[in-house]
Coordinates of all heavy atoms in Angstrom, one line a residue:
M28 N 0.2 -3.6 -9.5 CA -0.9 -3.3 -8.6 C -2.2 -3.4 -9.4 O -3.2 -3.9 -8.8 CB -0.7 -2.0 -7.9 CG -1.8 -1.7 -6.9 SD -1.7 -0.2 -6.0 CE -0.3 -0.5 -4.9
R29 N -2.2 -2.8 -10.6 CA -3.4 -2.9 -11.4 C -3.9 -4.3 -11.6 O -5.1 -4.6 -11.5 CB -3.1 -2.2 -12.8 CG -3.0 -0.8 -12.8 CD -2.7 -0.3 -14.2 NE -2.4 1.1 -14.2 CZ -3.2 2.0 -14.6 NH1 -4.4 1.7 -15.1 NH2 -2.9 3.3 -14.6
R30 N -2.9 -5.2 -11.9 CA -3.3 -6.6 -12.2 C -3.9 -7.2 -10.9 O -4.9 -7.9 -10.9 CB -2.1 -7.4 -12.7 CG -2.5 -8.8 -13.0 CD -1.3 -9.6 -13.6 NE -0.2 -9.6 -12.7 CZ 1.1 -9.4 -13.1 NH1 1.4 -9.1 -14.3 NH2 2.0 -9.4 -12.2
Y31 N -3.2 -6.9 -9.8 CA -3.7 -7.5 -8.5 C -5.1 -7.0 -8.2 O -6.0 -7.8 -7.9 CB -2.8 -7.1 -7.4 CG -3.3 -7.4 -6.0 CD1 -3.3 -8.7 -5.5 CD2 -3.9 -6.4 -5.2 CE1 -3.8 -9.0 -4.3 CE2 -4.5 -6.7 -4.0 CZ -4.4 -8.0 -3.5 OH -4.9 -8.3 -2.3
L32 N -5.4 -5.7 -8.4 CA -6.7 -5.2 -8.1 C -7.7 -5.7 -9.1 O -8.9 -6.0 -8.7 CB -6.7 -3.6 -8.1 CG -5.9 -3.0 -7.0 CD1 -5.8 -1.5 -7.2 CD2 -6.6 -3.2 -5.7
S33 N -7.3 -5.8 -10.3 CA -8.3 -6.4 -11.3 C -8.6 -7.8 -11.0 O -9.8 -8.2 -11.1 CB -7.6 -6.3 -12.7 OG -7.5 -5.0 -13.2
D34 N -7.6 -8.6 -10.7 CA -7.8 -10.0 -10.3 C -8.7 -10.1 -9.1 O -9.6 -11.0 -9.0 CB -6.5 -10.7 -10.1 CG -5.7 -10.9 -11.4 OD1 -6.3 -10.7 -12.5 OD2 -4.5 -11.3 -11.3
E35 N -8.4 -9.3 -8.0 CA -9.2 -9.4 -6.8 C -10.6 -9.0 -7.1 O -11.6 -9.6 -6.5 CB -8.5 -8.5 -5.7 CG -7.4 -9.1 -5.1 CD -7.7 -10.4 -4.3 OE1 -8.6 -10.3 -3.4 OE2 -7.1 -11.4 -4.6
H36 N -10.8 -7.9 -7.8 CA -12.2 -7.4 -8.1 C -12.9 -8.5 -8.9 O -14.1 -8.8 -8.6 CB -12.1 -6.2 -9.0 CG -13.4 -5.4 -9.0 ND1 -14.4 -5.7 -10.0 CD2 -13.9 -4.4 -8.3 CE1 -15.4 -4.9 -9.8 NE2 -15.2 -4.1 -8.8
M37 N -12.3 -9.2 -9.9 CA -13.0 -10.2 -10.6 C -13.3 -11.4 -9.7 O -14.4 -11.9 -9.8 CB -12.1 -10.7 -11.8 CG -12.7 -11.8 -12.6 SD -14.3 -11.3 -13.3 CE -13.8 -10.3 -14.7
D38 N -12.4 -11.8 -8.8 CA -12.6 -12.9 -7.9 C -13.7 -12.6 -6.9 O -14.6 -13.4 -6.7 CB -11.3 -13.2 -7.1 CG -11.5 -14.3 -6.2 OD1 -11.9 -15.4 -6.6 OD2 -11.2 -14.1 -4.9
K39 N -13.8 -11.4 -6.4 CA -14.7 -11.0 -5.3 C -16.1 -10.5 -5.9 O -17.1 -10.8 -5.4 CB -14.2 -9.9 -4.4 CG -12.8 -10.3 -3.7 CD -12.9 -11.5 -2.9 CE -11.7 -11.8 -2.1 NZ -10.7 -12.5 -2.7
K40 N -16.0 -9.7 -6.9 CA -17.2 -9.0 -7.5 C -17.7 -9.7 -8.7 O -18.8 -9.3 -9.2 CB -16.9 -7.6 -7.7 CG -16.5 -6.8 -6.5 CD -17.6 -6.4 -5.7 CE -17.2 -5.5 -4.6 NZ -18.3 -4.9 -3.8
K41 N -16.9 -10.6 -9.3 CA -17.3 -11.2 -10.6 C -17.5 -10.3 -11.7 O -18.4 -10.5 -12.5 CB -18.5 -12.2 -10.4 CG -18.3 -13.1 -9.2 CD -17.2 -14.1 -9.4 CE -17.2 -15.1 -8.3 NZ -15.8 -15.4 -7.8
S42 N -16.8 -9.2 -11.7 CA -16.9 -8.2 -12.8 C -15.6 -7.5 -13.0 O -14.7 -7.5 -12.1 CB -18.0 -7.2 -12.5 OG -17.7 -6.4 -11.4
E43 N -15.5 -6.8 -14.2 CA -14.3 -6.1 -14.5 C -14.3 -4.7 -13.7 O -15.4 -4.2 -13.4 CB -14.2 -5.8 -16.0 CG -14.1 -7.0 -16.9 CD -12.8 -7.6 -16.9 OE1 -11.8 -6.9 -16.6 OE2 -12.7 -8.8 -17.1
I44 N -13.1 -4.2 -13.4 CA -13.0 -2.9 -12.8 C -12.3 -2.0 -13.8 O -11.4 -2.4 -14.5 CB -12.2 -3.0 -11.5 CG1 -12.2 -1.6 -10.8 CG2 -10.8 -3.5 -11.7 CD1 -11.5 -1.7 -9.4
D45 N -12.8 -0.8 -13.9 CA -12.3 0.2 -14.8 C -11.2 1.0 -14.2 O -11.4 1.8 -13.3 CB -13.4 1.2 -15.3 CG -12.9 2.2 -16.3 OD1 -11.8 2.0 -16.9 OD2 -13.7 3.2 -16.5
L46 N -10.0 0.7 -14.6 CA -8.8 1.4 -14.1 C -8.3 2.4 -15.1 O -7.2 2.9 -14.9 CB -7.7 0.4 -13.7 CG -8.1 -0.6 -12.7 CD1 -7.0 -1.6 -12.4 CD2 -8.6 0.0 -11.4
S47 N -9.0 2.7 -16.1 CA -8.5 3.6 -17.2 C -8.2 5.0 -16.8 O -7.4 5.7 -17.4 CB -9.5 3.6 -18.4 OG -10.7 4.2 -18.0
V48 N -8.9 5.5 -15.7 CA -8.7 6.9 -15.2 C -7.5 7.0 -14.3 O -7.1 8.0 -13.9 CB -9.9 7.5 -14.6 CG1 -11.1 7.6 -15.6 CG2 -10.3 6.6 -13.4
W49 N -6.9 5.8 -13.9 CA -5.8 5.8 -13.0 C -4.5 6.3 -13.7 O -4.3 6.0 -14.9 CB -5.6 4.4 -12.4 CG -6.6 4.0 -11.4 CD1 -7.9 4.4 -11.4 CD2 -6.4 3.1 -10.4 NE1 -8.5 3.7 -10.3 CE2 -7.6 2.9 -9.7 CE3 -5.3 2.3 -10.0 CZ2 -7.8 2.1 -8.6 CZ3 -5.5 1.5 -8.9 CH2 -6.7 1.4 -8.2
T50 N -3.6 6.9 -13.0 CA -2.3 7.3 -13.5 C -1.3 6.4 -12.8 O -1.5 6.1 -11.7 CB -2.0 8.8 -13.4 OG1 -2.0 9.1 -12.0 CG2 -3.0 9.6 -14.1
D51 N -0.2 6.1 -13.5 CA 0.9 5.3 -12.9 C 1.8 6.2 -12.0 O 2.0 7.3 -12.3 CB 1.7 4.7 -14.0 CG 0.9 3.6 -14.8 OD1 0.0 3.0 -14.2 OD2 1.2 3.4 -16.0
A52 N 2.2 5.6 -10.9 CA 3.2 6.3 -10.1 C 4.5 6.3 -10.8 O 4.9 5.5 -11.6 CB 3.3 5.5 -8.8
D53 N 5.3 7.4 -10.5 CA 6.6 7.6 -11.2 C 7.7 7.1 -10.3 O 8.5 7.9 -9.8 CB 6.7 9.1 -11.5 CG 7.9 9.4 -12.3 OD1 8.4 8.5 -13.1 OD2 8.5 10.5 -12.2
W54 N 7.7 5.8 -10.2 CA 8.7 5.1 -9.3 C 9.7 4.3 -10.2 O 9.3 3.8 -11.2 CB 8.1 4.2 -8.3 CG 7.2 4.8 -7.3 CD1 7.3 6.1 -6.9 CD2 6.2 4.2 -6.6 NE1 6.3 6.3 -5.9 CE2 5.6 5.2 -5.7 CE3 5.6 2.9 -6.6 CZ2 4.6 4.9 -4.9 CZ3 4.6 2.7 -5.8 CH2 4.1 3.6 -4.9
T55 N 10.9 4.3 -9.7 CA 11.9 3.4 -10.4 C 12.1 2.2 -9.5 O 11.7 2.2 -8.3 CB 13.3 4.1 -10.6 OG1 13.8 4.4 -9.3 CG2 13.1 5.4 -11.4
E56 N 12.7 1.2 -10.0 CA 13.0 -0.1 -9.3 C 13.8 0.3 -8.0 O 13.6 -0.3 -6.9 CB 13.8 -1.1 -10.1 CG 14.1 -2.4 -9.5 CD 12.9 -3.3 -9.2 OE1 11.9 -3.1 -10.0 OE2 13.0 -4.1 -8.4
E57 N 14.7 1.2 -8.1 CA 15.5 1.6 -6.9 C 14.7 2.3 -5.8 O 15.0 2.3 -4.6 CB 16.7 2.5 -7.3 CG 17.7 1.9 -8.2 CD 17.3 1.8 -9.7 OE1 16.5 2.7 -10.1 OE2 17.6 0.8 -10.3
D58 N 13.6 2.9 -6.2 CA 12.7 3.6 -5.2 C 11.9 2.7 -4.4 O 11.4 3.1 -3.3 CB 11.7 4.5 -6.0 CG 12.4 5.7 -6.7 OD1 13.5 6.1 -6.3 OD2 11.8 6.1 -7.7
I59 N 11.6 1.5 -4.9 CA 10.6 0.6 -4.3 C 11.3 -0.4 -3.3 O 12.1 -1.2 -3.6 CB 9.9 -0.2 -5.3 CG1 9.2 0.8 -6.3 CG2 8.9 -1.2 -4.7 CD1 8.6 0.1 -7.5
P60 N 10.9 -0.3 -2.0 CA 11.4 -1.3 -1.0 C 10.8 -2.6 -1.3 O 9.6 -2.7 -1.7 CB 11.0 -0.7 0.3 CG 9.8 0.2 0.0 CD 10.0 0.7 -1.4
H61 N 11.6 -3.7 -1.0 CA 11.1 -5.0 -1.2 C 11.0 -5.7 0.1 O 11.9 -5.6 0.9 CB 12.0 -5.8 -2.2 CG 12.1 -5.2 -3.5 ND1 11.2 -5.6 -4.5 CD2 12.9 -4.3 -4.1 CE1 11.5 -4.9 -5.6 NE2 12.5 -4.1 -5.4
Q62 N 9.9 -6.5 0.3 CA 9.8 -7.2 1.6 C 10.8 -8.3 1.6 O 11.1 -8.9 0.5 CB 8.4 -7.6 1.8 CG 7.9 -8.7 0.8 CD 6.4 -9.0 1.0 OE1 5.6 -8.3 0.6 NE2 6.1 -10.1 1.7
N63 N 11.2 -8.7 2.8 CA 12.2 -9.8 2.9 C 11.6 -11.0 3.6 O 12.4 -11.8 4.2 CB 13.5 -9.2 3.6 CG 13.2 -8.6 4.9 OD1 12.1 -8.7 5.4 ND2 14.2 -8.0 5.5
N64 N 10.3 -11.1 3.7 CA 9.7 -12.2 4.3 C 8.3 -12.5 3.6 O 8.0 -11.8 2.6 CB 9.5 -12.0 5.8 CG 8.6 -10.7 6.1 OD1 7.6 -10.5 5.3 ND2 9.0 -10.0 7.1
S65 N 7.6 -13.4 4.1 CA 6.3 -13.7 3.5 C 5.1 -13.3 4.3 O 4.0 -13.7 4.0 CB 6.2 -15.3 3.2 OG 6.3 -16.0 4.5
S66 N 5.3 -12.4 5.3 CA 4.2 -12.0 6.1 C 3.9 -10.5 6.1 O 2.9 -10.1 6.7 CB 4.6 -12.3 7.6 OG 5.8 -11.7 8.0
D67 N 4.7 -9.7 5.4 CA 4.5 -8.3 5.3 C 3.8 -7.8 4.0 O 3.7 -6.6 3.8 CB 5.8 -7.5 5.5 CG 6.3 -7.6 6.9 OD1 5.6 -7.7 7.8 OD2 7.6 -7.5 7.0
C68 N 3.3 -8.7 3.2 CA 2.7 -8.2 1.9 C 1.6 -7.3 2.1 O 1.5 -6.2 1.4 CB 2.4 -9.4 1.0 SG 1.3 -10.6 1.8
G69 N 0.7 -7.5 3.0 CA -0.5 -6.6 3.2 C 0.0 -5.3 3.7 O -0.6 -4.2 3.3
V70 N 0.9 -5.2 4.6 CA 1.4 -4.0 5.2 C 2.1 -3.2 4.1 O 1.9 -2.0 3.9 CB 2.4 -4.2 6.3 CG1 2.9 -2.9 6.9 CG2 1.7 -5.0 7.4
F71 N 2.9 -3.9 3.2 CA 3.5 -3.2 2.1 C 2.5 -2.6 1.2 O 2.6 -1.5 0.7 CB 4.5 -4.1 1.3 CG 5.9 -4.1 1.8 CD1 6.3 -4.7 2.9 CD2 6.8 -3.4 1.1 CE1 7.6 -4.7 3.3 CE2 8.2 -3.4 1.5 CZ 8.5 -4.0 2.6
M72 N 1.5 -3.4 0.9 CA 0.4 -2.9 -0.1 C -0.3 -1.7 0.5 O -0.5 -0.7 -0.2 CB -0.6 -4.0 -0.3 CG -1.4 -3.8 -1.5 SD -0.5 -3.8 -3.0 CE -1.6 -4.5 -4.1
C73 N -0.6 -1.7 1.8 CA -1.2 -0.5 2.4 C -0.3 0.7 2.4 O -0.8 1.8 2.1 CB -1.6 -0.8 3.9 SG -3.0 -2.0 4.0
Q74 N 1.0 0.5 2.6 CA 1.9 1.6 2.6 C 2.1 2.2 1.2 O 2.1 3.4 1.0 CB 3.3 1.2 3.1 CG 3.3 1.1 4.6 CD 2.9 2.3 5.3 OE1 1.9 2.4 6.0 NE2 3.7 3.4 5.2
F75 N 2.1 1.3 0.2 CA 2.2 1.8 -1.2 C 0.9 2.6 -1.5 O 1.0 3.7 -2.1 CB 2.4 0.7 -2.2 CG 3.8 0.1 -2.2 CD1 4.0 -1.2 -2.0 CD2 4.9 0.9 -2.4 CE1 5.3 -1.7 -2.0 CE2 6.1 0.4 -2.4 CZ 6.4 -0.9 -2.2
A76 N -0.2 2.1 -1.1 CA -1.5 2.8 -1.4 C -1.5 4.1 -0.7 O -1.9 5.2 -1.3 CB -2.7 1.9 -1.0
S77 N -1.1 4.2 0.5 CA -1.0 5.4 1.3 C -0.1 6.4 0.6 O -0.4 7.6 0.5 CB -0.6 5.2 2.7 OG -0.4 6.4 3.4
T78 N 1.0 5.9 0.1 CA 2.0 6.8 -0.5 C 1.4 7.4 -1.8 O 1.6 8.6 -2.1 CB 3.3 6.0 -0.9 OG1 3.9 5.5 0.3 CG2 4.3 6.8 -1.6
I79 N 0.7 6.6 -2.6 CA 0.1 7.0 -3.8 C -1.0 8.1 -3.5 O -1.0 9.1 -4.1 CB -0.5 5.9 -4.6 CG1 0.6 5.0 -5.1 CG2 -1.4 6.3 -5.7 CD1 0.2 3.6 -5.7
V80 N -1.9 7.8 -2.6 CA -3.0 8.7 -2.3 C -2.5 10.0 -1.7 O -3.0 11.1 -2.1 CB -3.9 8.0 -1.2 CG1 -4.9 9.0 -0.7 CG2 -4.7 6.8 -1.8
R81 N -1.4 10.0 -0.9 CA -0.9 11.2 -0.4 C 0.0 11.9 -1.3 O 0.5 13.1 -1.0 CB -0.2 11.0 1.0 CG -1.2 10.5 2.1 CD -0.5 10.2 3.4 NE 0.4 9.2 3.3 CZ 1.7 9.4 3.6 NH1 2.2 10.5 3.9 NH2 2.6 8.4 3.5
N82 N 0.4 11.3 -2.4 CA 1.3 11.8 -3.4 C 2.6 12.3 -2.8 O 3.1 13.4 -3.0 CB 0.7 13.0 -4.2 CG 1.4 13.3 -5.4 OD1 2.0 12.5 -6.0 ND2 1.3 14.6 -5.8
V83 N 3.2 11.4 -2.0 CA 4.5 11.7 -1.4 C 5.5 10.6 -1.8 O 5.2 9.5 -2.3 CB 4.4 11.7 0.2 CG1 3.5 12.8 0.6 CG2 3.9 10.3 0.7
A84 N 6.8 10.9 -1.5 CA 7.9 9.9 -1.8 C 7.7 8.7 -0.9 O 7.2 8.8 0.2 CB 9.2 10.6 -1.6
I85 N 8.2 7.6 -1.4 CA 8.2 6.4 -0.6 C 9.2 6.6 0.6 O 10.3 7.0 0.4 CB 8.7 5.1 -1.4 CG1 7.7 4.8 -2.5 CG2 8.9 3.9 -0.5 CD1 8.1 3.8 -3.5
N86 N 8.7 6.4 1.8 CA 9.5 6.7 3.0 C 9.5 5.6 4.0 O 9.5 5.8 5.2 CB 9.0 8.0 3.6 CG 7.6 7.9 4.2 OD1 6.9 6.9 3.9 ND2 7.2 8.8 5.0
F87 N 9.5 4.3 3.5 CA 9.5 3.2 4.5 C 10.4 2.1 3.9 O 10.7 2.0 2.7 CB 8.1 2.6 4.7 CG 7.4 2.0 3.5 CD1 7.5 0.7 3.3 CD2 6.7 2.8 2.6 CE1 6.9 0.1 2.2 CE2 6.1 2.3 1.5 CZ 6.2 0.9 1.3
T88 N 10.8 1.2 4.8 CA 11.7 0.1 4.5 C 11.2 -1.1 5.3 O 10.3 -1.0 6.2 CB 13.2 0.3 4.8 OG1 13.3 0.4 6.3 CG2 13.7 1.6 4.2
C89 N 11.8 -2.2 5.1 CA 11.4 -3.4 5.8 C 11.6 -3.2 7.3 O 10.9 -3.7 8.1 CB 12.3 -4.6 5.4 SG 11.9 -5.2 3.7
A90 N 12.6 -2.4 7.7 CA 12.9 -2.2 9.1 C 11.8 -1.4 9.8 O 11.6 -1.5 11.0 CB 14.2 -1.4 9.2
D91 N 10.9 -0.8 9.0 CA 9.8 0.0 9.6 C 8.6 -0.8 9.9 O 7.6 -0.3 10.4 CB 9.5 1.2 8.7 CG 10.6 2.1 8.5 OD1 11.2 2.5 9.5 OD2 10.9 2.5 7.3
M92 N 8.5 -2.1 9.4 CA 7.3 -2.9 9.5 C 6.8 -3.0 10.9 O 5.5 -2.9 11.1 CB 7.5 -4.2 8.8 CG 7.7 -4.1 7.3 SD 6.3 -3.4 6.4 CE 7.0 -1.9 5.8
P93 N 7.6 -3.3 11.9 CA 7.0 -3.4 13.3 C 6.3 -2.1 13.7 O 5.1 -2.2 14.2 CB 8.2 -3.7 14.2 CG 9.2 -4.4 13.2 CD 9.0 -3.7 11.9
Y94 N 6.9 -1.0 13.5 CA 6.2 0.3 13.8 C 4.9 0.5 13.0 O 3.9 0.9 13.5 CB 7.2 1.5 13.6 CG 6.5 2.8 13.6 CD1 6.1 3.4 14.8 CD2 6.2 3.5 12.4 CE1 5.5 4.6 14.8 CE2 5.5 4.7 12.4 CZ 5.2 5.2 13.6 OH 4.5 6.4 13.6
I95 N 5.0 0.2 11.7 CA 3.9 0.5 10.8 C 2.7 -0.5 11.2 O 1.6 0.0 11.2 CB 4.3 0.3 9.3 CG1 5.2 1.4 8.9 CG2 3.0 0.3 8.4 CD1 5.9 1.2 7.6
R96 N 3.0 -1.7 11.5 CA 2.0 -2.6 12.0 C 1.3 -2.1 13.2 O 0.0 -2.1 13.3 CB 2.5 -4.0 12.3 CG 2.8 -4.8 11.1 CD 3.4 -6.2 11.5 NE 3.7 -7.0 10.4 CZ 2.8 -7.7 9.7 NH1 1.5 -7.7 10.2 NH2 3.1 -8.5 8.7
K97 N 2.0 -1.6 14.2 CA 1.4 -1.1 15.4 C 0.6 0.2 15.1 O -0.5 0.3 15.7 CB 2.5 -0.7 16.4 CG 3.2 -1.9 17.0 CD 4.3 -1.5 18.0 CE 5.1 -2.7 18.4 NZ 6.3 -2.4 19.2
R98 N 1.1 1.0 14.3 CA 0.4 2.2 13.9 C -0.9 1.9 13.2 O -2.0 2.5 13.5 CB 1.2 3.1 13.0 CG 0.6 4.5 12.8 CD 1.2 5.3 11.7 NE 1.0 4.7 10.4 CZ 1.9 4.5 9.5 NH1 3.2 4.9 9.7 NH2 1.7 3.9 8.4
M99 N -0.9 0.9 12.3 CA -2.1 0.4 11.6 C -3.2 -0.1 12.6 O -4.4 0.2 12.5 CB -1.8 -0.6 10.6 CG -1.0 -0.1 9.4 SD -0.5 -1.3 8.2 CE -2.0 -1.8 7.5
V100 N -2.7 -0.8 13.6 CA -3.7 -1.3 14.6 C -4.3 -0.2 15.4 O -5.5 -0.2 15.5 CB -3.0 -2.3 15.6 CG1 -3.8 -2.6 16.8 CG2 -2.5 -3.6 14.9
I101 N -3.5 0.8 15.8 CA -4.1 2.0 16.5 C -5.1 2.7 15.6 O -6.2 3.1 16.1 CB -2.9 2.9 16.9 CG1 -2.1 2.2 18.0 CG2 -3.5 4.2 17.4 CD1 -0.8 2.9 18.4
E102 N -4.7 2.9 14.3 CA -5.6 3.6 13.4 C -7.0 2.8 13.3 O -8.0 3.4 13.3 CB -5.0 3.8 12.1 CG -3.8 4.8 12.1 CD -3.1 4.9 10.8 OE1 -3.1 4.0 10.0 OE2 -2.4 5.9 10.6
L103 N -6.9 1.5 13.1 CA -8.1 0.7 13.0 C -8.9 0.7 14.2 O -10.2 0.9 14.1 CB -7.7 -0.7 12.6 CG -7.1 -0.9 11.2 CD1 -6.6 -2.4 11.1 CD2 -8.2 -0.7 10.2
V104 N -8.3 0.6 15.4 CA -9.1 0.6 16.7 C -9.7 2.0 16.9 O -10.9 2.1 17.3 CB -8.1 0.3 17.8 CG1 -8.8 0.6 19.2 CG2 -7.7 -1.2 17.8
R105 N -9.0 3.1 16.5 CA -9.6 4.4 16.7 C -10.5 4.8 15.6 O -11.2 5.8 15.7 CB -8.4 5.4 16.8 CG -7.7 5.3 18.1 CD -6.6 6.3 18.2 NE -5.9 6.2 19.5 CZ -4.7 6.8 19.7 NH1 -4.2 7.6 18.8 NH2 -4.1 6.6 20.8
G106 N -10.4 4.1 14.5 CA -11.3 4.5 13.3 C -10.8 5.8 12.7 O -11.7 6.4 12.1
E107 N -9.6 6.1 12.7 CA -9.1 7.3 12.1 C -7.6 7.1 11.7 O -6.9 6.4 12.3 CB -9.2 8.5 13.0 CG -8.4 8.4 14.3 CD -8.6 9.5 15.3 OE1 -9.7 10.1 15.3 OE2 -7.7 9.8 16.1
L108 N -7.3 7.8 10.6 CA -5.9 7.7 10.1 C -5.1 8.9 10.7 O -5.6 10.0 10.8 CB -5.9 7.9 8.6 CG -6.6 6.7 7.8 CD1 -6.6 7.1 6.3 CD2 -5.9 5.4 8.1
K109 N -3.8 8.6 11.0 CA -2.9 9.6 11.5 C -2.6 10.5 10.3 O -2.4 10.0 9.2 CB -1.7 9.0 12.1 CG -1.9 8.3 13.4 CD -0.6 7.7 13.9 CE 0.4 8.7 14.2 NZ 1.6 8.3 14.8
V110 N -2.5 11.8 10.5 CA -2.1 12.7 9.5 C -0.7 12.5 9.1 O -0.3 12.5 7.9 CB -2.4 14.2 9.9 CG1 -1.9 15.1 8.9 CG2 -3.9 14.4 10.2
D111 N 0.2 12.4 10.0 CA 1.6 12.2 9.8 C 1.9 10.8 9.6 O 1.9 10.0 10.6 CB 2.5 12.8 10.9 CG 4.0 12.6 10.7 OD1 4.4 12.3 9.5 OD2 4.7 12.8 11.6
H112 N 2.2 10.3 8.4 CA 2.5 8.9 8.2 C 4.0 8.7 8.0 O 4.4 7.7 7.3 CB 1.8 8.4 7.0 CG 0.4 7.9 7.3 ND1 -0.7 8.7 7.4 CD2 -0.1 6.7 7.6 CE1 -1.7 8.0 7.7 NE2 -1.4 6.8 7.8
A113 N 4.8 9.5 8.5 CA 6.3 9.2 8.4 C 6.6 8.0 9.1 O 6.2 7.7 10.2 CB 7.1 10.4 9.0
A114 N 7.3 7.1 8.4 CA 7.7 5.8 8.9 C 8.8 5.9 9.9 O 9.6 6.7 10.0 CB 8.0 4.8 7.8

């Protein structure tokens, strides 16, 4: 994620981003759900970010993507995040 954010920041802002104050999430390979298609990468990224910010365990799988997509649309339209993000 650090590399992705660094690359995106460089591409969009043409400058380095300081990630030195960030701490790494304590996840193992077994903890991390993997997408099984080429269309859910943005949804996965948002879910991982939400998990990190809320400091909770990963609680989503590929099977949750249709629900999560709908929830994200509702949140964007309403301009507010749901407090309960259980997938």
Side-chain angles (χ1 to χ4, degrees):
M28 187 178 288
R29 286 175 188 259
R30 185 177 57 226
Y31 171 78
L32 290 173
S33 293
D34 291 348
E35 282 296 305
H36 194 274
M37 181 58 79
D38 181 56
K39 305 298 188 273
K40 302 281 188 172
K41 308 299 185 219
S42 65
E43 298 285 334
I44 186 172
D45 180 15
L46 302 177
S47 64
V48 296
W49 288 29
T50 58
D51 293 329
D53 188 25
W54 295 335
T55 65
E56 182 71 22
E57 294 80 31
D58 295 331
I59 301 172
H61 297 273
Q62 69 186 76
N63 58 6
N64 60 38
S65 60
S66 60
D67 288 333
C68 51
V70 180
F71 267 79
M72 196 65 147
C73 288
Q74 284 303 113
F75 285 126
S77 176
T78 299
I79 291 168
V80 168
R81 293 181 299 117
N82 196 29
V83 296
I85 295 171
N86 64 347
F87 65 94
T88 67
C89 291
D91 299 313
M92 291 299 113
Y94 167 77
I95 293 169
R96 284 180 179 278
K97 288 176 186 172
R98 190 191 66 226
M99 289 173 71
V100 169
I101 291 169
E102 290 174 340
L103 289 168
V104 168
R105 291 183 180 166
E107 60 186 30
L108 297 176
K109 290 178 66 176
V110 175
D111 178 16
H112 272 83

